[in-house]
Amino acid sequence: MQSIALIKDIFDATHEITNGEILELITTIKKELELDDYLKKVEITDYSKKFEGKYLPSDKSMMISPCRIYENFFRWVNENNYPLNARAISRLYNLFVLITIYHEIFHVLQDKEDAESRKFDSRGILLHESIEFGRRIPQNTSPYEKIIYKMFYKLMLMERNAESESLYRILLLDEQYEFLSDREKRYIINELLKTLSYGYYNQKNCLISPSQIYYSIRLKQRQYKYIPFNENYDNFTKLSWGMPVDKEILDRLFANFNKNDDIKKLLKSK
């Protein structure tokens, strides 16, 4: 795939990814995934206080804010005492940009899947509920919806799924094409585990799931009761959509934190 060649070139280079390279990579991925009907416009914005990347299903547009990505990236580097080596810093920033690109691409894929092959099982219901909300952002959301989206961003099912999918996609691509360093790979795994486990809470010996919390926040507890959750999905799908899972799955993920192959097997098992 041409997108892989571009990614490898970006990580082989000694500079931070340019706006032109960002646009070329998005355009290439868009073509490979046949997203022309769902992504009509891609824009690099100078600076945004609100987002690193944004996909608006309402007008099929994507915006990327490299300055905002760099701001959050630099904050993370300082908070985590990342080695201040110019080469390592450039590569890690490029990785942050790549995660953002794939995150937004997965929003486009969510839109496409719901429009073209909507299903009525648990995953299909969660996807439709999420993307229906996303299609109304920002013009047609109520003040309450705007507040909960801002305050509970990480609990929005479409966001946790896009973040999980983007991190996992990069991890799988690296297994095949080997463009990440060990430290960069460890960062991806760490962020993936944090994203997948976020929103699961123990309450009176019962594991509360992110999807349950999401529906409560949306004031849709009654609808949630009718979601079947009885399909044989793999653990990654369940966790990425915040479905109910056994606590043992979360415990085993963190028990195998330093074992990449074991984590992969666990996520793909049912």
Side-chain angles (χ1 to χ4, degrees):
M1 292 189 293
Q2 186 182 351
S3 61
I4 300 303
L6 292 174
I7 291 171
K8 292 194 73 172
D9 287 345
I10 289 166
F11 280 87
D12 286 341
T14 58
H15 64 270
E16 294 171 358
I17 188 170
T18 66
N19 290 356
E21 288 171 328
I22 292 173
L23 289 172
E24 183 181 10
L25 181 56
I26 294 173
T27 301
T28 302
I29 295 174
K30 166 187 164 182
K31 182 177 180 181
E32 291 173 349
L33 297 178
E34 299 179 347
L35 298 176
D36 287 348
D37 291 340
Y38 297 89
L39 183 54
K40 303 290 188 182
K41 180 182 178 182
V42 180
E43 180 182 349
I44 305 294
T45 183
D46 289 339
Y47 180 73
S48 169
K49 291 183 178 180
K50 296 182 178 180
F51 64 86
E52 298 179 353
K54 177 167 65 174
Y55 169 66
L56 293 177
S58 56
D59 59 6
K60 313 298 183 187
S61 68
M62 181 187 294
M63 287 174 278
I64 303 292
S65 175
C67 291
R68 179 63 171 170
I69 297 173
Y70 195 89
E71 182 178 81
N72 290 338
F73 153 77
F74 197 70
R75 183 184 302 114
W76 184 92
V77 167
N78 287 330
E79 290 174 352
N80 291 274
N81 297 315
Y82 201 79
L84 292 176
N85 171 283
R87 175 77 170 127
I89 291 296
S90 294
R91 283 180 56 92
L92 187 63
Y93 167 70
N94 293 346
L95 181 56
F96 270 61
V97 174
L98 184 61
I99 293 168
T100 301
I101 290 172
Y102 270 115
H103 180 110
E104 301 310 322
I105 286 291
F106 273 102
H107 280 319
V108 186
L109 287 169
Q110 290 169 350
D111 191 20
K112 179 180 180 179
E113 180 181 345
D114 183 71
E116 295 184 0
S117 54
R118 183 181 173 189
K119 296 180 181 179
F120 295 88
D121 62 357
S122 58
R123 183 182 176 279
I125 292 170
L126 296 179
L127 169 59
H128 182 71
E129 159 66 30
S130 300
I131 200 64
E132 187 279 331
F133 184 22
R135 285 172 181 146
R136 293 189 287 106
I137 295 174
Q139 294 92 344
N140 298 313
T141 48
S142 68
Y144 175 71
E145 287 176 323
K146 288 182 172 67
I147 291 171
I148 63 171
Y149 184 81
K150 183 176 181 179
M151 290 183 63
F152 301 103
Y153 175 84
K154 289 186 177 181
L155 284 170
M156 298 294 107
L157 300 183
M158 60 188 171
E159 298 299 345
R160 72 174 287 126
N161 174 254
E163 187 69 2
S164 302
E165 292 279 10
S166 62
L167 292 164
Y168 198 51
R169 172 66 64 91
I170 293 170
L171 194 61
L172 294 180
L173 288 175
D174 178 69
E175 284 187 1
Q176 188 173 0
Y177 299 102
E178 298 182 342
F179 56 89
L180 297 178
S181 68
D182 289 342
R183 182 179 282 117
E184 292 159 355
K185 190 183 303 182
R186 177 50 49 195
Y187 169 78
I188 291 287
I189 293 171
N190 186 46
E191 292 301 305
L192 178 60
L193 295 185
K194 286 197 297 186
T195 302
L196 292 176
S197 62
Y198 184 83
Y200 286 96
Y201 297 101
N202 276 312
Q203 188 176 81
K204 297 180 180 179
N205 296 321
C206 177
L207 189 63
I208 305 299
S209 69
S211 59
Q212 183 176 350
I213 298 172
Y214 170 83
Y215 270 75
S216 296
I217 293 169
R218 296 294 315 279
L219 308 179
K220 294 185 175 185
Q221 295 95 325
R222 180 175 296 180
Q223 291 94 318
Y224 185 78
K225 293 179 181 179
Y226 294 100
I227 300 176
F229 292 123
N230 56 7
E231 303 87 3
N232 195 26
Y233 281 117
D234 59 57
N235 292 326
F236 176 76
T237 299
K238 291 177 183 178
L239 292 167
S240 72
W241 281 105
M243 296 180 185
V245 297
D246 294 331
K247 183 177 181 296
E248 178 191 1
I249 293 173
L250 295 170
D251 293 339
R252 288 172 62 197
L253 275 178
F254 286 95
N256 291 285
F257 179 79
N258 292 309
K259 302 174 182 177
N260 299 353
D261 291 339
D262 288 347
I263 287 176
K264 182 182 175 183
K265 289 177 183 177
L266 179 59
L267 290 177
K268 284 305 177 184
S269 64
K270 296 181 179 181

